[in-house]
Amino acid sequence: MADLRSSYLGLELRNPVIASAGPLSQSVEDIKALADAGLGAVTMFSLFEEQLLRDAERLVELEEQFADITPEAISFFPEVPRAEADAVTNYLRLVEKGAQAIDVPLIASLNGASRGGWVHSARSLQDAGAAALELNIYYVPGDLTLGGEEVEQRHLDILRAVKSEVSIPVAVKLSPYFSSVGAMCQRLDRAGADGLVLFNRFLQPDIDLDRLEVVSGVTLSSPVDARLPRTWIAVLRDHVEASLAASSGVDQPGDVVKHLLAGADVVCTTSALVRHGVEHATRLVEGLESWLDGRRLTLDQARGMLAVPGRTPADAYERAGYVAALEKAKTTYGSLS
């Protein structure tokens, strides 16, 4: 049987298939179910910058409201109305209990887009027991006067701020919408990112023709979505020190294999588990093992087998692939040029 042990962010995993941030980690029972299904690590759903800011504002309001209360009356200090506790406290408790309940690394997730004080919560996540932190920088620059360099610098500033708060590994989940994705990944690598998660999917709105409204929603990824991250992982494989995590498009064991052949250190999945059930993780891991055994390959031999060769000019390599694809398409669809 193939040895699936892998390394990600300096963490030792029993296999390279991990749960990505999503809705399947809302409770300790959920987290344990993901680990019991055989995954190598579990990434929790994201704690958002906006949640942290709301909780901070609530605390300031409370302090201002009762600033003049006498020490003798402290026992009458009222409770802030809330269902149980604030989102941040709940998240930290879940990290603490979840990390203790499973025998694989639990990765916490922070989602934000500014350089504000929310990044200091990274230390609390570390103290709660997170083995690593995934920093999901979801930033859509709506200011049309904002230049690309400023957008890129914001990512670097957030990463450095978080890295200054923690000693655990930090992975950056980023989008593919940069003028030069490869250069941005290398800059994040040099700035201290322990891992790069490729890619975040921006939620793009649609138009309801009946109601004449702009509508938004979340859709599950499909194997077609895997091509973009797989392309960049294949290019980056020998050009960054950071671990590479493939995200999006994983549905069947073959999708896992393809990402690993391109050079991914780990493969992240959530949509497949939502679509097929958490137990589908077992099929993904067993399918990978079966594929390796069937070809008498070790995981180390397969990983990066189809990555862009390190000394090959990546732009020429990609251009050649583009031209070859068009030439092949002509036989089926006619000329596309």
Side-chain angles (χ1 to χ4, degrees), residues 194-270:
D194 299 285
L196 300 170
V197 184
L198 310 178
F199 289 108
N200 196 346
R201 290 194 303 144
F202 279 149
L203 303 183
Q204 299 168 338
D206 200 354
I207 293 177
D208 187 316
L209 293 178
D210 293 325
R211 294 184 293 171
L212 295 182
E213 292 178 354
V214 176
V215 294
S216 61
V218 178
T219 58
L220 299 179
S221 69
S222 69
V224 173
D225 298 315
R227 295 182 180 184
L228 183 61
R230 194 155 56 233
T231 297
W232 280 109
I233 286 171
V235 171
L236 290 166
R237 173 68 186 177
D238 293 325
H239 295 280
V240 294
E241 296 295 327
S243 297
L244 296 173
S247 181
S248 289
V250 175
D251 190 71
Q252 297 299 321
D255 302 314
V256 175
V257 173
K258 289 179 181 180
H259 277 314
L260 293 170
L261 288 171
D265 292 289
V266 295
V267 179
C268 311
T269 181
T270 286

Side-chain angles (χ1 to χ4, degrees), residues 243-320:
S243 297
L244 296 173
S247 181
S248 289
V250 175
D251 190 71
Q252 297 299 321
D255 302 314
V256 175
V257 173
K258 289 179 181 180
H259 277 314
L260 293 170
L261 288 171
D265 292 289
V266 295
V267 179
C268 311
T269 181
T270 286
S271 290
L273 307 183
V274 172
R275 185 180 290 117
H276 304 296
V278 171
E279 65 278 2
H280 186 64
T282 304
R283 293 193 286 272
L284 294 177
V285 175
E286 291 178 348
L288 168 61
E289 186 176 54
S290 176
W291 188 91
L292 291 170
D293 287 339
R295 284 151 186 80
R296 298 183 179 180
L297 289 172
T298 67
L299 181 56
D300 287 340
Q301 288 171 333
R303 183 180 281 116
M305 180 181 288
L306 299 182
V308 177
R311 296 184 179 181
T312 302
D315 52 353
Y317 188 92
E318 293 297 326
R319 176 71 185 179

